[in-house]
Amino acid sequence: VIRCRAAVAWAPGKPLSVEEVEVAPPKAGEVRIKLVATGICRTDEHLLRGCFPNAEFPVIPGHEGAGIVESVGEGVTSMKPGDKVIPLCIPQCGECSFCRNPESNFCQKSHMSEPQNLLPDKTSRFSCKGKQIHHFLWISTFAEYTVVPEYAVAKIDAAAPLDKVCLFGCGFSTGYGAAINTAKVKPGSTCAIFGLGGIGLSVVMGCKSAGASRIIAVDINKDKFAKAKELGATDCINPQDFKKPIQEVLTEMTGQGVDYSFEAIGHQDTMIAALASCNMSTGIRVMIGELDSGSAISIDPTLLLTGRTWKGTVLGGSWKMRECIPKLVSSYLEKKFNSDLLITHTLPFAKVNEGFELL
């Protein structure tokens, strides 16, 4: 058993508490990882507010991390102690019908199918003050050590800087893959991205990589426009600068609406605006942002009648994560994109709550 620090959420709506926790050794088919760095994602905030579906408290949040294998359980063959890895919040069991489908990256062992609050044997590897602590999406990266099933871990290049590629565990992969895999953005096309957080800026990079000729970035925070342009946006617009709905502005800018739109915020009004901003015949609108659990959206069905498509994406669309995360890391090392620009602050572990304030 390893004793280390972890940021524990004891109940919804409360700040995280940095505690000493016990981390049990890995069982058969599991990997214990020393986490070196983690990002903070808006999904973690959903969890802390009690708005993430089927989560259980107390829990150690975090799902965007990178680290080094400390030990492996019986039967683990794909990695060994000392290997650099990224734990995956979408596993790849390789056996379910979704994993066998080449067009799917969703696994039926994922939280939306079956809660990942405990490891597959329905027990936890975390305890604190004599109490069982739940896992989050199996990976709980707000801990100095974590235990994860082997099929939810990707081994990456030993040269990778863990404090930079931790973003590949969620934010960068989600946004970049939404453009490349889910929308399948075509060269010469027009795209609109609603929301320029880490995921929205990653969509901008994906659209540029796919050869889009016009990339329109939409946000109410003008301070984000310079970075969006540096990453490939051709236009940046603030909805607050216009008296008409933003979908009308985008339609006038492009003639008939954009070819692809992406909502990377998680608000009902921007989700509908993103759909309406697509051209009415072949426009594709991709939902990336998360609404609170139990939310519903009302839309005018004629928005879809003439041919628009509304798609959802999770962790980058059709990428098989255990196979594709290592390839993404290799592309990063080859300088095919600059995801380092997504990092705005670097904080010590004890200031995790300050990180959420900055978010």
Side-chain angles (χ1 to χ4, degrees):
V1 173
I2 287 177
R3 287 174 176 78
C4 66
R5 292 182 302 168
V8 178
W10 290 103
K14 305 285 187 186
L16 288 163
S17 178
V18 177
E19 308 271 10
E20 183 181 81
V21 300
E22 292 82 41
V23 184
K27 296 185 181 180
E30 297 175 354
V31 179
R32 187 159 61 182
I33 301 166
K34 178 182 180 180
L35 286 154
V36 172
T38 184
I40 298 178
C41 175
R42 186 67 72 182
T43 299
D44 299 309
E45 191 211 28
H46 276 265
L47 173 70
L48 295 180
R49 288 195 290 117
C51 299
F52 191 81
N54 302 315
E56 293 186 46
F57 290 78
V59 61
I60 298 173
H63 63 286
E64 194 176 87
I68 298 165
V69 174
E70 178 271 336
S71 58
V72 300
E74 182 184 351
V76 172
T77 58
S78 62
M79 58 200 70
K80 64 186 184 304
D83 286 342
K84 287 186 176 180
V85 292
I86 292 176
L88 308 173
C89 51
I90 301 289
Q92 185 185 337
C93 75
E95 298 171 355
C96 71
S97 61
F98 290 166
C99 280
R100 293 198 305 269
N101 180 343
E103 296 183 359
S104 167
N105 80 328
F106 197 73
C107 174
Q108 284 168 299
K109 288 183 165 50
S110 295
H111 188 87
M112 299 303 171
S113 299
E114 181 179 308
Q116 293 170 278
N117 303 317
L118 297 170
L119 291 186
D121 69 351
K122 305 306 179 192
T123 64
S124 173
R125 301 294 166 269
F126 296 125
S127 59
C128 180
K129 299 176 180 175
K131 294 182 179 177
Q132 171 183 277
I133 307 295
H134 291 92
H135 295 247
F136 179 52
L137 303 177
W138 283 345
I139 58 179
S140 292
T141 62
F142 291 180
E144 291 177 319
Y145 287 84
T146 191
V147 178
V148 185
E150 180 184 15
Y151 53 76
V153 184
K155 178 182 171 182
I156 60 171
D157 194 307
L162 297 177
D163 61 331
K164 303 293 194 295
V165 301
C166 61
L167 300 180
F168 290 39
C170 179
F172 175 75
S173 304
T174 296
Y176 193 80
I180 301 290
N181 297 326
T182 307
K184 294 182 170 61
V185 169
K186 293 178 182 174
S189 60
T190 302
C191 304
I193 297 99
F194 288 71
L196 300 176
I199 287 179
L201 291 172
S202 299
V203 177
V204 170
M205 283 189 267
C207 292
K208 181 183 179 182
S209 176
S213 62
R214 196 168 186 190
I215 301 169
I216 306 169
V218 183
D219 204 295
I220 58 173
N221 182 353
K222 291 183 177 180
D223 293 343
K224 298 187 176 186
F225 290 172
K227 190 171 282 190
K229 287 191 171 178
E230 186 177 356
L231 291 171
T234 56
D235 306 77
C236 293
I237 57 175
N238 182 344
Q240 295 174 337
D241 291 342
F242 302 91
K243 292 189 171 132
K244 59 182 71 172
I246 194 63
Q247 54 264 43
E248 292 182 21
V249 175
L250 287 164
T251 300
E252 289 175 7
M253 286 176 69
T254 56
Q256 71 282 337
V258 297
D259 299 307
Y260 308 94
S261 71
F262 303 84
E263 203 277 359
I265 306 167
H267 289 170
Q268 294 175 342
D269 55 349
T270 44
M271 287 192 179
I272 294 167
L275 179 65
S277 68
C278 289
N279 85 66
M280 65 172 62
S281 175
T282 58
I284 294 173
R285 171 266 200 259
V286 179
M287 171 181 169
I288 317 172
E290 285 177 47
L291 289 168
D292 290 349
S293 178
S295 299
I297 300 178
S298 297
I299 65 163
D300 178 351
T302 58
L303 285 171
L304 295 168
L305 186 65
T306 52
R308 287 184 182 94
T309 300
W310 182 329
K311 303 185 78 170
T313 187
V314 64
L315 207 62
S318 59
W319 274 325
K320 303 292 188 189
M321 299 315 292
R322 288 196 78 201
E323 301 159 18
C324 292
I325 287 281
K327 294 176 184 174
L328 267 182
V329 170
S330 295
S331 294
Y332 165 84
L333 292 171
E334 292 162 9
K335 296 185 166 35
K336 291 185 177 177
F337 46 77
N338 186 9
S339 54
D340 291 358
L341 288 173
L342 301 176
I343 300 170
T344 58
H345 300 79
T346 302
L347 299 171
F349 186 50
K351 292 190 176 181
V352 62
N353 286 306
E354 186 178 319
F356 279 90
E357 292 166 16
L358 289 165
L359 181 71

